[in-house]
Amino acid sequence: MLARSFLSAVDLGISEVERDALIATLFAFERGEIDNFTMRHFREECGTPACICGWANHFSEGRAFAEVSSMSGLVATKRLYGRLPKQLQYLFDIQGLPQQGAATQAQAAAALSNYLTFGEPRWDEITYS
């Protein structure tokens, strides 16, 4: 079996810590280790991770996408919107698009894999197919 190849942190426009956290999140999705998932918010009311960004923050012990652990959801969204590359904003559904908000865990894993491999999540191919 061939090893998977992902774009570098530089190519993705993010830090190594953030790239590593996204890869850890993808692998956890693929192994079925994530029980609590929704793209509607970063964290559940109880403080547990919810979306792709929230899980990446969790797996990095708060170092990746630190805004999620240190700010309210609205403030974190604004800060992330201001610093993340457009395709990562799209992956995280910072724009609040209906099809991403309703994404299943399998769809989120496919979008995350696309982002890490091609630099874009390709949500439209995943959510409308």
Side-chain angles (χ1 to χ4, degrees), residues 60-78:
S60 70
E61 298 178 345
R63 294 177 298 139
F65 316 108
E67 297 89 343
V68 173
S69 19
S70 62
M71 303 170 191
S72 73
L74 183 57
V75 174
T77 299
K78 287 181 181 181

Side-chain angles (χ1 to χ4, degrees), residues 101-121:
T104 66
Q105 191 173 145
Q107 290 170 325
L112 178 52
S113 179
N114 284 343
Y115 174 74
L116 290 166
T117 305
F118 306 110
E120 56 186 71

Side-chain angles (χ1 to χ4, degrees), residues 33-50:
E33 297 173 355
I34 295 176
D35 294 328
N36 182 37
F37 175 78
T38 179
M39 286 297 292
R40 298 194 191 285
H41 43 263
F42 297 119
R43 298 208 176 280
E44 296 289 357
E45 292 204 16
C46 62
T48 58

Side-chain angles (χ1 to χ4, degrees), residues 9-21:
V10 171
D11 290 337
L12 294 169
I14 57 177
S15 71
E16 287 290 338
V17 167
E18 291 171 335
R19 178 184 178 270
D20 291 347

